[in-house]
Amino acid sequence: MTKIIAIFNQAGGVAKSTLTMNLGYQLAQRKNRVLLMDMDPQASLTIFMGLEPDELEKTIYEALIDEAPLFVHENIHGMDLAPTNLNLTVAEMQLVSADLRELRLKSAIEPILEDYDFILIDCPPSLGLLSYISLVASTHILVPIETQFKAFAGTNKLLETVARVKSKINRKLQIAGFVPTIYDSRNSQDVRSLAAMQEQLIGIGTVFPPIPRSTIFADASEKRQPLAVFSPRHPAIAILKKLAMAMEDLK
C-alpha cells in the first residue's frame, strides 16, 4: 500500500520543506518510488527542487480546482514532484465553496497511487483548508517540531486538528512520529525542550532523534540539492537514513 505522509506543523520555520526533500531523497535511494507534493503556496519545496514557481504553466492548482490530472515533474534527484506557486493561495479561497472540497486532493492522488511507494506532502504552516485536505488524503502524519519551548507548546492545536480529521473523515490517519529539528545540543533550552518532547509525546508517537541546527541545510537548498548530494559525509545524513527506514516500517 502506498504510504501518503503529510509533513505538517502549523508553525513556520520548522524545516518542513527541507525535511520533505531530504527524507524523500533517502527513501528514493532505498529504491522506493517517491512523489513529493508541494501544498504550501510559498513554494519552498518547489524552489528547493530546482523549479521556478512563477514559470510553471501547471501546478497542483489545476488538480484541485479544475479536477485535472495531477501535473508531475519526473525524476528530479530520483524523485517526482507535483509543484506549486502562489496560485494555491487563490485555490484555498475557491475551495471554500467547492463541492466535496475535503476530498479534492485525495481524488487527485487516487489515479496515481500505484505509481508510488511513498507520497510526501509538504503542508503549509497553518491549520487552514489546504492543510486539512492534505490530512484527509494522507495515511500518516509526520510532525517536525523546532526544539524551542514556544514551538513545542503549540503542538496541542496540531493534535486537535489531527483528532478532528480522524473523527470526521479519515479514521485511518496515523501519527508516524515527531521529528525534533534545528537542534543545538549546546543550547540548554534546546536540551530541555527535547527532553520535554521525549517525555510528553512518547505515548502519542515515536520521537525520532533530533536533526541538528546547521547552515549547511540552507546551503544545500540554495544549490537545489538534497543534503546527501551536496555534502555526502554530513552527520545529519545518518539521522535521515534512519528516519527513512522507520517510514518503511510504518503499518
Side-chain angles (χ1 to χ4, degrees), residues 9-50:
N9 192 318
Q10 78 274 20
V14 299
K16 282 189 294 80
S17 302
T18 299
L19 178 61
T20 303
M21 180 171 71
N22 284 286
L23 174 58
Y25 181 78
Q26 292 301 327
L27 287 167
Q29 289 296 294
R30 295 178 59 80
K31 309 303 181 185
N32 292 290
R33 299 167 300 164
V34 178
L35 171 66
L36 308 183
M37 300 189 70
D38 195 348
M39 283 292 288
D40 186 348
Q42 297 178 70
S44 294
L45 179 61
T46 297
I47 295 169
F48 292 172
M49 291 288 284

Short mmCIF file of all heavy atoms in Angstrom, two decimals, residues 9-50:
data_model
loop_
_atom_site.label_atom_id
_atom_site.label_comp_id
_atom_site.label_asym_id
_atom_site.label_seq_id
_atom_site.Cartn_x
_atom_site.Cartn_y
_atom_site.Cartn_z
N ASN A 9 3.12 20.91 10.33
CA ASN A 9 3.14 21.67 11.58
C ASN A 9 2.58 23.04 11.24
O ASN A 9 2.94 23.62 10.22
CB ASN A 9 4.55 21.78 12.15
CG ASN A 9 4.55 22.31 13.57
OD1 ASN A 9 3.82 23.23 13.92
ND2 ASN A 9 5.38 21.72 14.42
N GLN A 10 1.67 23.53 12.09
CA GLN A 10 1.06 24.82 11.79
C GLN A 10 2.03 25.98 11.96
O GLN A 10 1.76 27.10 11.52
CB GLN A 10 -0.18 25.06 12.67
CG GLN A 10 0.10 25.49 14.09
CD GLN A 10 0.32 24.31 15.02
OE1 GLN A 10 0.63 23.21 14.57
NE2 GLN A 10 0.16 24.52 16.31
N ALA A 11 3.17 25.74 12.59
CA ALA A 11 4.19 26.78 12.76
C ALA A 11 5.10 26.82 11.54
O ALA A 11 5.38 25.79 10.91
CB ALA A 11 5.02 26.50 14.02
N GLY A 12 5.57 28.00 11.20
CA GLY A 12 6.53 28.15 10.11
C GLY A 12 7.95 28.05 10.65
O GLY A 12 8.20 28.11 11.85
N GLY A 13 8.89 27.86 9.74
CA GLY A 13 10.30 27.85 10.12
C GLY A 13 10.75 26.64 10.89
O GLY A 13 11.72 26.70 11.65
N VAL A 14 10.06 25.50 10.71
CA VAL A 14 10.44 24.29 11.44
C VAL A 14 11.12 23.27 10.52
O VAL A 14 11.31 22.12 10.89
CB VAL A 14 9.22 23.63 12.12
CG1 VAL A 14 8.62 24.58 13.15
CG2 VAL A 14 8.17 23.20 11.11
N ALA A 15 11.48 23.70 9.32
CA ALA A 15 12.22 22.87 8.35
C ALA A 15 11.35 21.81 7.69
O ALA A 15 11.82 20.73 7.34
CB ALA A 15 13.44 22.22 9.00
N LYS A 16 10.06 22.12 7.47
CA LYS A 16 9.17 21.17 6.80
C LYS A 16 9.64 20.83 5.39
O LYS A 16 9.74 19.66 5.02
CB LYS A 16 7.74 21.72 6.73
CG LYS A 16 6.95 21.63 8.01
CD LYS A 16 5.50 22.00 7.79
CE LYS A 16 5.30 23.44 7.41
NZ LYS A 16 5.55 23.79 5.99
N SER A 17 9.89 21.85 4.60
CA SER A 17 10.28 21.62 3.20
C SER A 17 11.63 20.93 3.11
O SER A 17 11.83 20.04 2.28
CB SER A 17 10.30 22.95 2.44
OG SER A 17 9.04 23.59 2.48
N THR A 18 12.55 21.34 3.96
CA THR A 18 13.86 20.70 3.99
C THR A 18 13.74 19.23 4.36
O THR A 18 14.37 18.36 3.75
CB THR A 18 14.77 21.43 5.00
OG1 THR A 18 14.93 22.79 4.60
CG2 THR A 18 16.14 20.77 5.08
N LEU A 19 12.92 18.95 5.36
CA LEU A 19 12.72 17.56 5.78
C LEU A 19 12.05 16.76 4.66
O LEU A 19 12.44 15.61 4.39
CB LEU A 19 11.87 17.52 7.05
CG LEU A 19 11.54 16.13 7.59
CD1 LEU A 19 12.80 15.36 7.94
CD2 LEU A 19 10.61 16.23 8.79
N THR A 20 11.06 17.34 4.00
CA THR A 20 10.36 16.64 2.93
C THR A 20 11.32 16.22 1.82
O THR A 20 11.32 15.07 1.38
CB THR A 20 9.23 17.51 2.35
OG1 THR A 20 8.34 17.91 3.39
CG2 THR A 20 8.46 16.77 1.29
N MET A 21 12.13 17.16 1.37
CA MET A 21 13.05 16.85 0.28
C MET A 21 14.09 15.81 0.69
O MET A 21 14.35 14.85 -0.05
CB MET A 21 13.77 18.11 -0.20
CG MET A 21 14.75 17.83 -1.35
SD MET A 21 15.43 19.31 -2.14
CE MET A 21 16.50 19.92 -0.84
N ASN A 22 14.67 15.97 1.87
CA ASN A 22 15.75 15.08 2.27
C ASN A 22 15.26 13.70 2.69
O ASN A 22 15.93 12.70 2.41
CB ASN A 22 16.56 15.73 3.40
CG ASN A 22 17.47 16.82 2.88
OD1 ASN A 22 18.49 16.55 2.27
ND2 ASN A 22 17.09 18.07 3.10
N LEU A 23 14.09 13.63 3.30
CA LEU A 23 13.50 12.32 3.60
C LEU A 23 13.13 11.63 2.30
O LEU A 23 13.38 10.42 2.14
CB LEU A 23 12.28 12.49 4.50
CG LEU A 23 11.46 11.22 4.78
CD1 LEU A 23 12.33 10.15 5.44
CD2 LEU A 23 10.26 11.56 5.66
N GLY A 24 12.53 12.36 1.39
CA GLY A 24 12.18 11.78 0.09
C GLY A 24 13.40 11.24 -0.63
O GLY A 24 13.35 10.14 -1.22
N TYR A 25 14.50 11.97 -0.58
CA TYR A 25 15.71 11.53 -1.25
C TYR A 25 16.23 10.22 -0.64
O TYR A 25 16.62 9.31 -1.38
CB TYR A 25 16.79 12.61 -1.17
CG TYR A 25 18.07 12.23 -1.87
CD1 TYR A 25 18.17 12.30 -3.25
CD2 TYR A 25 19.17 11.77 -1.14
CE1 TYR A 25 19.34 11.94 -3.91
CE2 TYR A 25 20.34 11.39 -1.79
CZ TYR A 25 20.42 11.48 -3.17
OH TYR A 25 21.57 11.10 -3.81
N GLN A 26 16.22 10.15 0.68
CA GLN A 26 16.70 8.92 1.33
C GLN A 26 15.80 7.73 0.99
O GLN A 26 16.28 6.62 0.78
CB GLN A 26 16.78 9.12 2.84
CG GLN A 26 17.86 10.10 3.29
CD GLN A 26 19.25 9.69 2.84
OE1 GLN A 26 19.56 8.50 2.76
NE2 GLN A 26 20.09 10.67 2.56
N LEU A 27 14.50 7.97 0.92
CA LEU A 27 13.58 6.89 0.53
C LEU A 27 13.84 6.46 -0.90
O LEU A 27 13.82 5.26 -1.22
CB LEU A 27 12.13 7.36 0.69
CG LEU A 27 11.62 7.48 2.13
CD1 LEU A 27 10.31 8.26 2.16
CD2 LEU A 27 11.45 6.11 2.78
N ALA A 28 14.11 7.42 -1.78
CA ALA A 28 14.39 7.08 -3.18
C ALA A 28 15.70 6.31 -3.30
O ALA A 28 15.81 5.39 -4.12
CB ALA A 28 14.44 8.36 -4.02
N GLN A 29 16.68 6.67 -2.48
CA GLN A 29 17.95 5.95 -2.51
C GLN A 29 17.79 4.50 -2.07
O GLN A 29 18.61 3.64 -2.40
CB GLN A 29 18.98 6.66 -1.61
CG GLN A 29 19.47 7.99 -2.15
CD GLN A 29 20.24 7.83 -3.44
OE1 GLN A 29 21.31 7.26 -3.47
NE2 GLN A 29 19.67 8.34 -4.54
N ARG A 30 16.73 4.23 -1.33
CA ARG A 30 16.44 2.88 -0.87
C ARG A 30 15.48 2.16 -1.85
O ARG A 30 14.81 1.22 -1.47
CB ARG A 30 15.85 2.91 0.54
CG ARG A 30 16.86 3.45 1.59
CD ARG A 30 16.26 3.54 2.97
NE ARG A 30 15.78 2.25 3.43
CZ ARG A 30 16.56 1.29 3.94
NH1 ARG A 30 17.87 1.50 4.05
NH2 ARG A 30 16.05 0.14 4.35
N LYS A 31 15.47 2.64 -3.08
CA LYS A 31 14.73 2.02 -4.18
C LYS A 31 13.22 2.14 -4.06
O LYS A 31 12.47 1.35 -4.64
CB LYS A 31 15.12 0.53 -4.32
CG LYS A 31 16.61 0.27 -4.38
CD LYS A 31 17.27 1.03 -5.52
CE LYS A 31 18.77 0.73 -5.57
NZ LYS A 31 19.47 1.56 -6.60
N ASN A 32 12.76 3.13 -3.32
CA ASN A 32 11.33 3.42 -3.27
C ASN A 32 10.97 4.42 -4.37
O ASN A 32 11.77 5.30 -4.72
CB ASN A 32 10.94 4.01 -1.91
CG ASN A 32 11.07 3.02 -0.78
OD1 ASN A 32 10.30 2.07 -0.69
ND2 ASN A 32 12.05 3.22 0.10
N ARG A 33 9.76 4.29 -4.89
CA ARG A 33 9.24 5.26 -5.86
C ARG A 33 8.58 6.39 -5.07
O ARG A 33 7.63 6.14 -4.31
CB ARG A 33 8.24 4.59 -6.78
CG ARG A 33 8.82 3.43 -7.61
CD ARG A 33 7.71 2.61 -8.23
NE ARG A 33 6.82 2.04 -7.22
CZ ARG A 33 5.61 1.55 -7.47
NH1 ARG A 33 5.13 1.59 -8.70
NH2 ARG A 33 4.87 1.04 -6.50
N VAL A 34 9.10 7.60 -5.23
CA VAL A 34 8.73 8.71 -4.34
C VAL A 34 8.17 9.88 -5.14
O VAL A 34 8.74 10.32 -6.14
CB VAL A 34 9.96 9.19 -3.53
CG1 VAL A 34 9.58 10.39 -2.65
CG2 VAL A 34 10.50 8.05 -2.67
N LEU A 35 7.02 10.38 -4.67
CA LEU A 35 6.44 11.62 -5.19
C LEU A 35 6.41 12.64 -4.05
O LEU A 35 5.90 12.35 -2.97
CB LEU A 35 5.02 11.39 -5.70
CG LEU A 35 4.22 12.65 -6.08
CD1 LEU A 35 4.84 13.37 -7.27
CD2 LEU A 35 2.75 12.31 -6.35
N LEU A 36 6.94 13.82 -4.31
CA LEU A 36 6.82 14.94 -3.39
C LEU A 36 5.70 15.86 -3.89
O LEU A 36 5.61 16.14 -5.08
CB LEU A 36 8.13 15.73 -3.30
CG LEU A 36 9.41 14.94 -3.01
CD1 LEU A 36 10.59 15.91 -2.88
CD2 LEU A 36 9.27 14.11 -1.75
N MET A 37 4.87 16.33 -2.96
CA MET A 37 3.78 17.24 -3.31
C MET A 37 3.93 18.53 -2.51
O MET A 37 4.03 18.49 -1.27
CB MET A 37 2.42 16.61 -3.01
CG MET A 37 2.16 15.32 -3.75
SD MET A 37 0.45 14.76 -3.56
CE MET A 37 -0.39 16.01 -4.54
N ASP A 38 3.95 19.65 -3.20
CA ASP A 38 4.11 20.94 -2.54
C ASP A 38 2.73 21.58 -2.38
O ASP A 38 2.16 22.12 -3.33
CB ASP A 38 5.01 21.84 -3.38
CG ASP A 38 5.51 23.05 -2.61
OD1 ASP A 38 4.96 23.30 -1.51
OD2 ASP A 38 6.44 23.73 -3.07
N MET A 39 2.21 21.53 -1.15
CA MET A 39 0.91 22.13 -0.85
C MET A 39 1.03 23.46 -0.12
O MET A 39 0.05 23.98 0.39
CB MET A 39 0.08 21.15 -0.02
CG MET A 39 -0.53 20.01 -0.82
SD MET A 39 -1.80 20.57 -1.97
CE MET A 39 -3.12 20.98 -0.81
N ASP A 40 2.22 24.02 -0.10
CA ASP A 40 2.45 25.31 0.54
C ASP A 40 2.58 26.39 -0.53
O ASP A 40 3.49 26.32 -1.37
CB ASP A 40 3.73 25.24 1.38
CG ASP A 40 3.98 26.50 2.19
OD1 ASP A 40 3.30 27.53 1.96
OD2 ASP A 40 4.86 26.47 3.06
N PRO A 41 1.69 27.38 -0.56
CA PRO A 41 1.76 28.42 -1.59
C PRO A 41 3.09 29.17 -1.63
O PRO A 41 3.43 29.77 -2.65
CB PRO A 41 0.62 29.37 -1.20
CG PRO A 41 -0.35 28.52 -0.44
CD PRO A 41 0.50 27.54 0.32
N GLN A 42 3.86 29.13 -0.54
CA GLN A 42 5.18 29.76 -0.56
C GLN A 42 6.14 29.04 -1.49
O GLN A 42 7.16 29.60 -1.89
CB GLN A 42 5.76 29.79 0.86
CG GLN A 42 4.94 30.62 1.83
CD GLN A 42 5.53 30.58 3.23
OE1 GLN A 42 6.58 31.15 3.49
NE2 GLN A 42 4.85 29.90 4.14
N ALA A 43 5.83 27.77 -1.82
CA ALA A 43 6.55 27.00 -2.85
C ALA A 43 8.01 26.75 -2.52
O ALA A 43 8.83 26.59 -3.43
CB ALA A 43 6.41 27.68 -4.21
N SER A 44 8.36 26.69 -1.24
CA SER A 44 9.76 26.44 -0.89
C SER A 44 10.26 25.11 -1.44
O SER A 44 11.36 25.02 -1.98
CB SER A 44 9.92 26.47 0.63
OG SER A 44 9.66 27.75 1.15
N LEU A 45 9.44 24.06 -1.31
CA LEU A 45 9.86 22.75 -1.82
C LEU A 45 10.05 22.80 -3.33
O LEU A 45 11.03 22.23 -3.85
CB LEU A 45 8.81 21.70 -1.45
CG LEU A 45 9.10 20.27 -1.94
CD1 LEU A 45 10.39 19.73 -1.36
CD2 LEU A 45 7.93 19.35 -1.60
N THR A 46 9.16 23.44 -4.04
CA THR A 46 9.28 23.58 -5.49
C THR A 46 10.60 24.25 -5.85
O THR A 46 11.32 23.82 -6.77
CB THR A 46 8.09 24.38 -6.05
OG1 THR A 46 6.88 23.66 -5.79
CG2 THR A 46 8.23 24.62 -7.54
N ILE A 47 10.95 25.30 -5.11
CA ILE A 47 12.21 26.02 -5.35
C ILE A 47 13.41 25.14 -5.01
O ILE A 47 14.39 25.05 -5.78
CB ILE A 47 12.24 27.32 -4.54
CG1 ILE A 47 11.15 28.28 -5.04
CG2 ILE A 47 13.61 27.99 -4.64
CD1 ILE A 47 10.92 29.47 -4.14
N PHE A 48 13.35 24.47 -3.86
CA PHE A 48 14.47 23.61 -3.45
C PHE A 48 14.73 22.51 -4.48
O PHE A 48 15.87 22.07 -4.65
CB PHE A 48 14.17 22.95 -2.10
CG PHE A 48 14.12 23.89 -0.93
CD1 PHE A 48 13.69 23.44 0.32
CD2 PHE A 48 14.50 25.21 -1.05
CE1 PHE A 48 13.65 24.29 1.41
CE2 PHE A 48 14.45 26.07 0.03
CZ PHE A 48 14.02 25.61 1.27
N MET A 49 13.68 22.09 -5.17
CA MET A 49 13.82 21.02 -6.16
C MET A 49 14.24 21.54 -7.53
O MET A 49 14.32 20.79 -8.50
CB MET A 49 12.51 20.24 -6.26
CG MET A 49 12.18 19.42 -5.03
SD MET A 49 13.23 17.96 -4.85
CE MET A 49 12.50 16.89 -6.10
N GLY A 50 14.50 22.85 -7.62
CA GLY A 50 15.09 23.40 -8.82
C GLY A 50 14.14 24.01 -9.82
O GLY A 50 14.55 24.39 -10.92
#
